[in-house]
Amino acid sequence: MANEIAKLLDFDIKEVQRQTKIPLEYLEAIYAKNYDILKDTNLKAYLRILSREFNIDLDGYLEDFENYCSENSSDDSKIQVNPRLTGYVAKESKSSFGWLVLVLILLGVGVWGFKFIKDLDFNWSDLKPDFGSKSEVNVSEENIAIINPNADVIENIVVDEALDQNTSKEEILVVDENATTEQNLAEEQIKEQKEEVQVKEATNVIKIIPATKVWIGIKNLNDMSKRSLSTSEAYELNATGNRLILTGNGMLDLVNGDNNKSYRTRDALRFHIHDGIIEEIDYTKYIELNKGKTW
């Protein structure tokens, strides 16, 4: 139990307070095992939050606290419990009732629209343009003669234009075939480049597979930005950049390409990602890269 509380010392107490929303004075009392102060708090809820966020077992701590309360309780005194934390609320599953109502509304609108369109007496053929009959479009030979008496000249021009059109079509076909060939070659090159990128990315993926729920912290050493999560599922990240990886416990497997390593320890683990590789580091190296003990 002492070791579990000691694990919290790896983290700055203000960072623990920010993440859990537990008042700072109660966190200090938990660290110091000051049960007199904790008797008037919702300690069981606080310990449950710490266990969830940092993946530590505090059942022994709670048992010691309850034994203390039993030994030091009196008929004249009662334990007062503070109200639940307002800043830290467990996530609740959203009701699907709203979605059900939305689906029913959409179905009703769809049925009404289908019935409305079906009831319309609409003839799509009315939209087709009417170019008139052939008799209206065709011009008689007499009218052509009246418009232009040089009929032989007109016929020669029509024949020459037809020849030019046929020649142009053949040239277009040749150009289209060449363009299609070039397009196919370009598509093949793009496909090969994508396959090379996918192979390269696959070799740069690091997978953390927890044996139990674990807290994982990730810090970018270039701008000191950070993020964290608690998970019991496999977590993947790219072996790129210059980053620190910190885990709440060492019950996990680390997979990096063909290099696999299993850890089975309750202590925290620290890793450094740089130059496309990941390596385990000790606490001294961690403080050097992190520029201090505070996460």
Side-chain angles (χ1 to χ4, degrees):
M1 179 272 295
N3 291 334
E4 299 297 332
I5 287 294
K7 288 181 180 179
L8 292 177
L9 298 178
D10 289 341
F11 307 96
D12 182 58
I13 191 171
K14 292 183 179 179
E15 175 67 18
V16 176
Q17 193 277 329
R18 184 195 65 77
Q19 186 170 340
T20 62
K21 308 303 180 185
I22 299 174
L24 187 61
E25 59 177 313
Y26 296 152
L27 276 176
E28 293 174 346
I30 291 174
Y31 280 32
K33 297 177 64 176
N34 192 338
Y35 296 152
D36 287 333
I37 294 177
L38 297 175
K39 284 196 303 183
D40 297 332
T41 69
N42 195 352
L43 179 62
K44 188 173 182 179
Y46 295 163
L47 296 180
R48 187 162 56 248
I49 293 172
L50 290 171
S51 298
R52 182 189 304 118
E53 294 297 324
F54 298 98
N55 196 30
I56 55 178
D57 183 6
L58 296 175
D59 291 341
Y61 190 100
L62 180 60
E63 184 178 352
D64 291 347
F65 171 74
E66 291 175 346
N67 291 337
Y68 173 84
C69 292
S70 299
E71 294 173 358
N72 294 273
S73 62
S74 61
D75 295 337
D76 297 333
S77 63
K78 293 184 180 179
I79 298 176
Q80 301 294 328
V81 179
N82 286 339
R84 65 181 298 181
L85 296 175
T86 57
Y88 184 93
V89 180
K91 296 181 178 179
E92 299 177 354
S93 60
K94 296 183 178 179
S95 173
S96 60
F97 177 75
W99 286 106
L100 179 60
V101 173
L102 180 60
V103 169
L104 291 176
I105 292 174
L106 292 177
L107 286 175
V109 172
V111 171
W112 177 85
F114 177 79
K115 185 177 180 182
F116 177 78
I117 294 174
K118 186 178 180 182
D119 292 340
L120 287 177
D121 185 12
F122 188 78
N123 188 359
W124 290 97
S125 61
D126 294 339
L127 295 179
K128 295 182 180 180
D130 186 7
F131 296 103
S133 62
K134 292 183 179 180
S135 60
E136 296 176 353
V137 175
N138 295 333
V139 181
S140 66
E141 296 179 357
E142 295 178 356
N143 291 334
I144 292 176
I146 293 173
I147 295 172
N148 191 348
N150 299 322
D152 293 338
V153 176
I154 295 175
E155 290 180 358
N156 292 334
I157 294 174
V158 171
V159 172
D160 291 339
E161 289 181 352
L163 291 174
D164 292 340
Q165 290 177 358
N166 292 334
T167 303
S168 300
K169 289 180 180 179
E170 293 177 356
E171 293 175 352
I172 292 172
L173 288 174
V174 173
V175 173
D176 287 344
E177 290 178 356
N178 293 336
T180 302
T181 303
E182 293 177 357
Q183 183 178 359
N184 291 337
L185 291 175
E187 290 178 352
E188 289 293 333
Q189 291 177 354
I190 293 174
K191 183 178 180 181
E192 291 176 358
Q193 291 175 357
K194 287 183 178 180
E195 291 176 351
E196 292 177 358
V197 171
Q198 290 175 352
V199 171
K200 185 176 180 181
E201 289 179 350
T203 57
N204 287 336
V205 172
I206 298 171
K207 183 180 292 186
I208 298 175
I209 305 176
T212 182
K213 189 173 184 181
V214 62
W215 178 89
I216 302 174
I218 305 169
K219 176 177 284 189
N220 188 329
L221 294 178
N222 294 328
D223 57 10
M224 303 308 284
S225 61
K226 57 187 177 181
R227 55 192 175 90
S228 63
L229 72 156
S230 295
T231 181
S232 58
E233 303 293 334
Y235 181 74
E236 293 184 355
L237 64 158
N238 292 328
T240 57
N242 185 21
R243 293 182 287 175
L244 274 179
I245 307 297
L246 178 64
T247 64
N249 63 66
M251 303 294 292
L252 54 88
D253 295 331
L254 188 66
V255 179
N256 182 16
D258 296 332
N259 300 322
N260 302 336
K261 188 171 182 181
S262 295
Y263 298 89
R264 293 297 182 269
T265 176
R266 289 289 181 180
D267 297 329
L269 295 177
R270 301 167 184 86
F271 301 95
H272 181 205
I273 294 178
H274 63 96
D275 300 325
I277 63 174
I278 182 170
E279 61 178 351
E280 184 179 1
I281 59 175
D282 57 17
Y283 187 61
T284 302
K285 184 66 175 179
Y286 165 81
I287 294 177
E288 176 186 345
L289 294 172
N290 192 49
K291 295 182 175 57
K293 299 180 180 180
T294 303
W295 170 253

